Amino acid sequence: MTQATGRLIDGNALSKQLRAEVAQRAAALKARGITPGLAVILVGDNPASQVYVRNKVKACEDSGLHSVLEKYEAGMSEAALLARIDALNRDPAIHGILVQLPLPAHIDAHKVIEAISPAKDVDGFHVASAGALMVGQPGFWPCTPYGCMKMLESIGYDLKGKHAVVIGRSNIVGKPMALMLLQQNATVTICHSATKDLKAMTLQADVIVAAVGKRKVLTADMVKPGAVVIDVGMNRNEEGKLCGDVDFEGVKQVAGWITPVPGGVGPMTITMLLVNTMEAAERVAAA
Ligand code: NAP
């Protein structure tokens, strides 16, 4: 697998393929009278969140899923939001519910996520979903690490016995990523801001997943030749251009495989949201 420069794992191309599969599954379910439906809730006017929800709704429509975007003013009360979620939990036309984060400070995001029915938790953030992943039971996997797993699968990478180093331990990326890699029989190391010698860890890795949110956390001297490097980070460089956590130009000279930013993990995250929504609808249809 070692080569002079890393081969790209193209998140756009893989997304296109997976979204075509979702569209086929959606059409098959529709033929049985069920249209998979996703409700997206946005509270407030955070500009980045507005772009994210628009992209999610458009992706649903493009794949033949029904989507409802509910926008509320930043002053919406927590009680009103919980009441909306309760109504959506009981709405048979809705199979997935996504509350775009961050929420305004007066709303307890944890309480809101816990109010979503685990059967409709297509973001995979509910404690029940996290628990299901932990014990290897069916549930919904958080979309970003799930997308990373699909990228590894797409290159036919066998994780068994490999050493995977995850940089970052958030509940939405780092921790679930580590559990998914573990489930595929990798030996997993989780690094974070208190890790003493990050380079000593990453140099041992066959697979590195960087999920930090800081540019150039991973540079070429920190990567074993031939390693697979997955870059989850989303940052801006001096020119305001989107970039990841990985020094892409340097690391691609050493890595066996590498994901670009943009065009890597980003599109996969939305794709896995569609996959989870599809799965939620299919589970209802099978019940
Ligand atoms: P987060 O909650 O801020 O977590 C960042 C993690 O990085 C923390 O665990 C932190 O450690 C660790 N960290 C910080 N500085 C470090 C350092 N110097 N060395 C090692 N570890 C360090 O962020 P997140 O939500 O997981 O997201 C991470 C990045 O992925 C962000 O850039 C975000 O925008 C991006 N992201 C992208 C997508 C996508 O679709 N592409 C989706 C989600 C997130 P401590 O726990 O010790 O603080």
Side-chain angles (χ1 to χ4, degrees):
M1 185 160 291
T2 305
Q3 46 221 303
T5 58
R7 291 170 66 186
L8 276 192
I9 309 179
D10 183 341
N12 283 325
L14 181 57
S15 279
K16 203 173 159 190
Q17 185 193 321
L18 292 172
R19 288 184 197 196
E21 285 169 24
V22 166
Q24 274 182 2
R25 286 162 68 184
L29 213 55
K30 265 190 199 170
R32 295 172 51 197
I34 301 166
T35 302
L38 174 71
V40 179
I41 298 179
L42 174 64
V43 184
D45 48 15
N46 179 317
S49 294
Q50 295 203 16
V51 174
Y52 294 149
V53 295
R54 222 180 298 133
N55 289 343
K56 288 169 185 172
V57 167
K58 185 174 182 308
C60 276
E61 282 160 7
D62 290 349
S63 294
L65 275 64
H66 166 62
S67 71
V68 183
L69 174 57
E70 298 193 7
K71 284 188 181 180
Y72 298 103
E73 289 184 357
M76 181 188 209
S77 71
E78 184 181 282
L81 179 54
L82 292 172
R84 257 327 284 154
I85 290 172
D86 184 45
L88 290 166
N89 280 341
R90 285 182 280 108
D91 184 344
I94 295 299
H95 303 95
I97 302 170
L98 180 154
V99 178
Q100 185 64 45
L101 300 177
L103 285 167
H106 67 279
I107 298 178
D108 180 346
H110 180 71
K111 206 166 160 184
V112 168
I113 289 165
E114 292 311 296
I116 297 171
S117 161
K120 299 190 178 187
D121 177 39
V122 288
D123 246 345
F125 295 167
H126 196 289
V127 166
S129 303
L133 170 60
M134 170 96 180
V135 296
Q137 288 293 309
F140 292 108
W141 285 5
C143 301
T144 301
Y146 191 8
C148 295
M149 292 304 284
K150 282 282 170 194
M151 291 178 114
L152 289 168
E153 192 186 306
S154 76
I155 59 168
Y157 194 82
D158 182 5
L159 282 158
K160 189 176 177 184
K162 298 293 195 320
H163 186 187
V165 170
V166 180
I167 318 174
R169 57 170 164 183
S170 70
N171 289 334
I172 62 168
V173 189
K175 279 186 213 161
M177 184 80 250
L179 288 169
M180 290 173 200
L181 292 162
L182 187 64
Q183 211 175 81
Q184 294 295 315
N185 298 314
T187 300
V188 182
T189 299
I190 306 174
C191 299
H192 44 77
S193 65
T195 297
K196 285 226 170 72
D197 188 348
L198 183 62
K199 181 176 170 179
M201 299 295 147
T202 57
L203 273 176
Q204 298 173 41
D206 302 302
V207 176
I208 303 171
V209 181
V212 175
K214 287 181 186 160
R215 288 167 53 204
K216 300 191 180 175
V217 154
L218 192 76
T219 47
D221 58 315
M222 300 167 75
V223 177
K224 183 166 82 173
V228 180
V229 176
I230 311 257
D231 191 352
V232 179
M234 282 200 309
N235 311 296
R236 298 271 164 196
N237 67 14
E238 298 94 345
E239 294 129 38
K241 279 196 186 151
L242 193 64
C243 65
D245 291 344
V246 174
D247 176 18
F248 182 80
E249 291 307 323
V251 171
K252 80 171 182 202
Q253 307 299 326
V254 186
W257 292 88
I258 187 166
T259 67
V261 177
V265 176
M268 290 301 293
T269 296
I270 298 189
T271 298
M272 300 324 290
L273 174 68
L274 303 180
V275 170
N276 277 349
T277 304
M278 195 60 237
E279 178 72 32
E282 285 172 348
R283 284 180 198 171
V284 170

